[in-house]
């Protein structure tokens, strides 16, 4: 049956935090709770540099997906005191044998006991979260069984010493195969191959009776979790990881991929059905594909992350939990870093710095996706940021993927591009496309979304692994949009004088990773760059009216994938991070008449490690420090970084204004825009109250 308001009415009842056992009711009925952010046009408000607010909800397929793929973001959020809730879709029961290679008692003939093994994984997760949040892996939890909207039951665990930390166990059966054709799985449920997916209960759980979910019931259940915990930041796995072109294998576990699609559907239902709630942003994380890419974390951060995985893996084999099932996941004990997963964290959406742009003189426009819809903040000529406004009209319904690309047209109008995911009743209805909206006049309203389509003509079990779009504007005000396709090559679609766009042109390249970036140098020549696993490829023009040449090798060293491009005199300056370090590096690429572009020597912007894309304007650089907080630096030596101690989502963006002021923006975990200027650096302000 379809999701309706009535069927959303009462979803879960859960015993929540505190030793007194306060009862709270989970409901998605609209009008029950006011939004967490008051709206209005106000002067900027200075915030203490240490403030990190909001509610973080993570939804993953298996116990340990959060530890491998969302850490250190997870541990930073826990230590900051932010409300953190993680929901696990499946029990992760695998073959039911809790053994590591090298275990003295390892018995290959041991009968499978999936309920015991799944319980051991729960015990390991509780220990790891307790250690991250309190420093004590044995810190106690309150475990409660609650009914769900889907007609089943879930286990809710609340960390008594830190009651803002909760775990939600939905305990469905996992696929028991990374990519094999397993109908009894989230994939089979999504694609309609089975009418319902059975539960896999764990030993020791307060949930005593099995259940099953239809596709619609699982969507309702996840939406109920969102309604209870009211996220301002939602973390999920990658719903479209794609396949390796050579082998055709998924680049990620099928449960990760299809679990994320259930999260997308639940998020859309939650956003549409619950009107009075905080705004929220979404961040998705790269999974198994991290194993093929250079490490993105510095050694100290990677070691701390691995330490939590050792706790989860019950590596010391001591009885810390008193459970006959065991105190952790021994399968991970022999290799707690996974397949190079512990040494990296990467975002699959919203990890670029192209969402802030100038409009008419004195005005700035910052775009982000809230509640699955495109929103923007506008700063007027007097320096006042106005409350966020959502794009409206045809095509403005929820479904916009995280990440926005802003462009300024020659006449001062502003445009915005993104990708959009369509969720229909049939599996074949799931698809992604590039969309574009532009102002009708400078400082005017935005027109309806226009679809630019996609080079991927069908999803075909996840081939819509397109990147975020990069866009450039020529002197006539016509756009060219660049996109990495599912085969990891570069495509382009060019706007025609009548306003339409050309079919997606093949620009070549191979092994492209992340999002392409583009910029125009002082001579008006277009530059496009894309990362590979080993270097960076370039497409450049010899003159402004000439064709785009490439792909050309730059000879640049390997990066951690995210790129930022900024005009720099006769060339374009690229910013990227050094693998196994996270230190920001930079080089200038100059296009000329030669066959290959000219590349300067690589320099480093200070010595502070970090991860993710950086925002850059002039000599000013902003990025995520190794602590996970927003930090800023100037090129050319110490002081290396000024750290704000504020956690955030996505990547920072910066612009250099005509008076020489640099304005930097980030989206906080509270789903609010925060800004800083070089006039009051390093103070951060919430843009609107």
């Amino acid at each position: 049956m379809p999701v309706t308001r009535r069927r959303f009415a009462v979803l879960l009842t859960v015993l929540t935090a505190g030793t007194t056992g306060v009862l709270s009711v989970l409901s998605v009925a609209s009008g029950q709770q006011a939004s967490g952010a008051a709206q209005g046009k106000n002067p900027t408000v200075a915030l203490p540099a240490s403030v990190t607010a909001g509610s973080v909800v993570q939804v993953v397929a298996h116990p340990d997906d959060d530890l491998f793929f969302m850490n250190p973001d997870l541990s930073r959020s826990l230590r900051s005191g932010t409300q953190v809730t993680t929901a696990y879709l499946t029990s992760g029961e695998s073959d039911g044998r809790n053994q590591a290679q090298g275990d003295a008692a390892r018995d290959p003939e041991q009968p499978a006991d999936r309920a015991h093994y799944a319980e051991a994984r729960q015990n390991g997760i509780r220990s790891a979260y307790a250690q991250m949040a309190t420093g004590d892996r044995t810190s106690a939890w309150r475990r409660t069984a609650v009914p769900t909207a889907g007609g089943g039951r879930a286990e809710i665990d609340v960390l008594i010493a830190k009651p803002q930390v909760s775990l939600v166990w939905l305990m469905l059966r996992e696929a028991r195969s990374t990519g094999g054709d397993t109908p009894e799985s989230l994939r089979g449920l999504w694609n309609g191959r089975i009418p319902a997916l059975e539960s896999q209960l764990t030993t020791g759980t307060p949930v005593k009776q099995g259940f099953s979910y239809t596709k619609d019931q699982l969507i309702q259940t996840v939406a109920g979790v969102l309604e209870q915990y009211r996220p301002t930041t939602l973390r999920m796995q990658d719903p479209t990881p794609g396949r390796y072109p050579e082998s055709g294998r998924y680049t990620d576990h099928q449960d990760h991929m299809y679990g994320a699609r259930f999260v997308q559907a639940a998020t859309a239902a939650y956003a549409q059905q619950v009107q009075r709630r905080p705004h929220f942003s979404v961040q998705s994380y790269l999974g198994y594909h991290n194993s093929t890419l250079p490490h993105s974390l510095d050694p100290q951060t990677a070691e701390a992350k691995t330490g939590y995985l050792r706790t989860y893996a019950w590596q010391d084999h001591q009885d810390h939990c008193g459970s006959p099932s065991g105190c952790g996941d021994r399968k991970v004990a022999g290799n707690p870093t996974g397949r190079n997963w512990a040494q990296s964290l990467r975002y699959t959406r919203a990890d670029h710095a192209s969402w802030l742009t100038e409009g008419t003189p004195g005005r700035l426009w910052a775009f982000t996706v809230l509640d699955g819809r495109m929103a923007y903040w506008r700063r007027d000529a007097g320096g006042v940021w106005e409350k966020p406004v959502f794009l409206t009209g045809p095509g403005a319904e929820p479904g916009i993927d995280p990440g926005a690309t802003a462009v300024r047209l020659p006449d001062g109008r502003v445009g915005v591009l993104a990708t959009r995911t369509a969720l229909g009743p049939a599996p074949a209805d799931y698809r992604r496309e590039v969309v574009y909206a532009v102002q009708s006049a400078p400082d005017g309203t935005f027109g309806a979304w226009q679809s630019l389509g996609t080079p991927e003509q069908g999803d075909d079990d996840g081939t819509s692994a397109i990147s975020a779009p990069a866009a450039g504007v020529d002197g006539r005000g016509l756009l060219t949009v660049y996109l990495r396709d599912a085969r990891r090559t570069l495509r382009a679609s060019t706007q025609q004088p009548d306003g339409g766009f050309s079919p997606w042109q093949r620009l070549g390249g191979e092994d492209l990773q992340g999002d392409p970036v583009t910029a125009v140098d002082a001579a008006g020549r277009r530059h496009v760059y894309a990362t590979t696993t080993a270097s960076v490829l370039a497409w450049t023009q010899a003159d402004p009216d000439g064709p785009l040449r490439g792909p050309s090798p730059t000879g640049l060293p390997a990066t951690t994938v995210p790129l930022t491009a900024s005009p720099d005199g006769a060339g374009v300056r690229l910013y990227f991070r050094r693998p196994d370090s996270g230190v920001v590096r930079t080089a200038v690429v100059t296009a000329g008449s030669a066959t290959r572009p000219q590349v300067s020597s690589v320099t480093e912007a200070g010595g502070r490690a970090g991860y993710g894309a950086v925002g850059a304007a002039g000599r000013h650089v902003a990025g995520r420090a190794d602590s996970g907080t927003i930090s800023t630096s100037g090129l050319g030596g110490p002081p290396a970084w000024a750290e704000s101690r504020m956690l955030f989502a996505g990547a920072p963006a910066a612009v250099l204004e005509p008076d020489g002021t640099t304005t930097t923006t980030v989206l906080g975990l509270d789903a609010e825009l925060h800004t800083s200027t070089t006039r009051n650096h390093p103070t951060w302000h919430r843009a609107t109250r």
Side-chain angles (χ1 to χ4, degrees):
M1 290 185 294
V3 179
T4 65
R5 287 182 184 270
R6 181 175 299 276
R7 297 180 68 212
F8 264 74
V10 179
L11 301 182
L12 295 170
T13 301
V14 57
L15 192 63
T16 57
T19 57
T20 58
V22 179
L23 189 69
S24 68
V25 177
L26 283 74
S27 164
V28 187
S30 67
Q32 291 186 352
Q33 205 168 12
S35 169
Q39 303 294 320
K41 180 176 178 179
N42 297 293
T44 55
V45 179
L47 294 177
S50 61
V51 164
T52 295
S55 170
V56 174
V57 172
Q58 306 182 149
V59 186
V60 295
H62 309 121
D64 79 8
D65 290 343
D66 44 350
L67 300 182
F68 275 121
F69 307 121
M70 295 178 177
N71 235 353
D73 282 359
L74 168 58
S75 60
R76 309 302 192 221
S77 299
L78 288 167
R79 283 207 298 273
S80 73
T82 303
Q83 178 177 309
V84 176
T85 303
T86 302
Y88 302 91
L89 298 177
T90 79
S91 290
E93 68 276 7
S94 186
D95 64 357
R97 295 181 173 89
N98 193 17
Q99 297 178 327
Q101 292 289 341
D103 276 357
R106 182 175 174 82
D107 179 6
E109 303 302 321
Q110 175 187 343
D113 192 327
R114 292 187 166 92
H116 273 289
Y117 176 54
E119 174 71 10
R121 295 188 75 170
Q122 285 192 356
N123 291 334
I125 287 291
R126 282 188 284 267
S127 293
Y129 270 72
Q131 184 178 28
M132 287 186 285
T134 71
D136 177 9
R137 64 183 294 173
T138 65
S139 193
W141 295 81
R142 177 174 289 105
R143 301 174 64 181
T144 309
V146 300
T148 72
R153 295 183 72 82
E155 177 181 334
I156 308 294
D157 299 345
V158 176
L159 185 59
I160 295 173
K162 296 282 186 179
Q164 69 271 24
V165 180
S166 300
L167 306 175
V168 180
W169 305 96
L170 300 183
M171 291 186 289
L172 287 170
R173 172 187 165 132
E174 69 151 80
R176 304 176 186 174
S177 170
T178 300
D181 186 8
T182 308
E184 294 290 331
S185 63
L186 292 170
R187 176 186 179 186
L189 185 63
W190 179 269
N191 288 332
R193 297 187 65 189
I194 55 174
L197 183 61
E198 298 292 329
S199 59
Q200 170 60 68
L201 301 187
T202 70
T203 55
T205 181
V207 177
K208 300 305 181 184
Q209 185 173 354
F211 53 88
S212 64
Y213 288 140
T214 65
K215 181 177 181 179
D216 183 65
Q217 287 169 336
L218 180 54
I219 292 170
Q220 293 177 63
T221 297
V222 177
V225 173
L226 301 181
E227 204 286 334
Q228 164 65 15
Y229 295 102
R230 303 268 172 155
T232 51
T233 299
L234 173 63
R235 295 171 179 160
M236 61 181 288
Q237 295 175 277
D238 186 3
T240 53
R243 300 174 182 268
Y244 290 110
E246 304 82 8
S247 65
R249 292 185 297 108
Y250 289 144
T251 64
D252 208 350
H253 195 295
Q254 59 180 312
D255 281 349
H256 300 174
M257 171 180 169
Y258 284 94
R261 295 188 182 190
F262 276 102
V263 177
Q264 284 183 304
T267 300
Y270 168 64
Q272 290 178 310
Q273 298 293 334
V274 184
Q275 301 303 314
R276 302 185 67 187
R277 51 166 171 71
H279 294 311
F280 62 89
S281 67
V282 177
Q283 184 82 71
S284 62
Y285 290 76
L286 196 69
Y288 284 179
H289 190 52
N290 276 309
S291 64
T292 69
L293 301 173
H295 299 160
S296 68
L297 300 177
D298 65 276
Q300 293 76 21
T301 301
E303 179 57 30
K305 175 178 176 177
T306 304
Y308 300 129
L309 282 158
R310 292 190 180 102
T311 296
Y312 163 75
W314 192 27
Q315 200 170 53
D316 64 4
H317 226 171
Q318 300 299 308
D319 185 3
H320 301 285
C321 64
S323 170
S325 298
C327 297
D329 184 356
R330 293 294 297 165
K331 289 186 186 298
V332 174
N335 184 23
T337 63
R339 295 184 176 91
N340 284 317
W341 302 329
Q343 296 93 334
S344 292
L345 179 149
R346 287 186 177 86
Y347 308 114
T348 53
R349 307 281 186 274
D351 199 18
H352 63 82
S354 304
W355 51 278
L356 175 69
T357 190
E358 296 177 274
T360 55
R363 295 189 184 274
L364 296 180
W365 300 78
F367 295 86
T368 193
V369 179
L370 298 177
D371 313 340
R373 299 167 58 200
M374 186 62 68
Y376 63 84
W377 285 265
R378 183 180 73 164
R379 195 198 69 182
D380 65 23
V384 176
W385 288 92
E386 300 175 352
K387 68 179 182 180
V389 175
F390 287 93
L391 268 63
T392 59
E397 62 276 0
I400 303 297
D401 297 326
T405 300
V407 293
R408 183 188 185 278
L409 305 183
D411 62 2
R413 289 182 298 150
V414 171
V416 60
L417 298 98
T419 61
R420 178 170 59 194
T421 298
L423 292 167
D429 295 330
Y430 187 96
R431 58 185 173 81
R432 292 179 64 205
E433 61 182 352
V434 180
V435 291
Y436 162 62
V438 65
Q439 290 175 321
S440 57
D443 299 325
T445 58
F446 283 84
W449 284 110
Q450 304 174 49
S451 174
L452 308 189
T454 172
E456 314 296 339
Q457 295 306 307
D459 180 56
D460 188 24
D461 270 358
T463 59
S464 294
I466 55 177
S467 69
V473 184
D474 66 19
R476 300 170 296 171
L478 300 178
L479 283 174
T480 298
V481 182
Y482 303 96
L483 196 71
R484 174 187 52 77
D485 66 15
R487 297 193 62 81
R488 302 195 176 278
T489 69
L490 190 67
R491 299 290 195 102
S493 179
T494 301
Q495 191 175 24
Q496 306 301 303
D498 64 1
F501 281 79
S502 69
W504 289 95
Q505 175 189 2
R506 298 181 183 273
L507 297 185
E510 61 181 14
D511 185 35
L512 305 188
Q513 309 293 329
D515 300 327
V517 295
T518 185
V520 177
D521 64 24
R525 296 173 296 201
R526 178 69 42 75
H527 296 235
V528 181
Y529 300 95
T531 306
T532 70
T533 54
S535 184
V536 176
L537 295 178
W539 290 257
T540 58
Q541 291 176 302
D543 59 74
D545 297 322
L548 198 65
R549 308 170 305 177
S552 301
T554 62
L556 288 170
T559 76
T560 61
V561 172
L563 284 178
T564 300
S566 178
D568 192 314
V572 166
R573 183 175 291 275
L574 296 179
Y575 298 85
F576 46 91
R577 292 187 185 267
R578 174 156 49 101
D580 290 300
S581 163
V583 168
V584 175
R585 292 177 144 184
T586 181
V588 176
V589 184
T590 305
S593 57
T595 303
R596 292 175 53 177
Q598 303 299 307
V599 183
S600 73
S601 59
V602 175
T603 59
E604 295 189 345
R608 188 65 184 268
Y611 53 98
V614 300
R619 309 300 287 175
H620 180 81
V621 181
R624 184 177 274 98
D626 54 1
S627 61
T629 60
I630 180 65
S631 301
T632 55
S633 176
L635 295 179
W641 289 98
E643 187 174 345
S644 72
R645 298 175 59 202
M646 183 177 71
L647 300 176
F648 64 102
V655 296
L656 180 64
E657 303 193 56
D659 64 359
T661 298
T662 300
T663 296
T664 307
T665 56
V666 295
L667 186 69
L669 296 185
D670 55 2
E672 295 280 355
L673 185 71
H674 298 262
T675 70
S676 179
T677 69
T678 51
R679 289 191 301 268
N680 59 19
H681 171 78
T683 302
W684 286 86
H685 303 262
R686 192 173 64 201
T688 57
R689 293 187 184 183

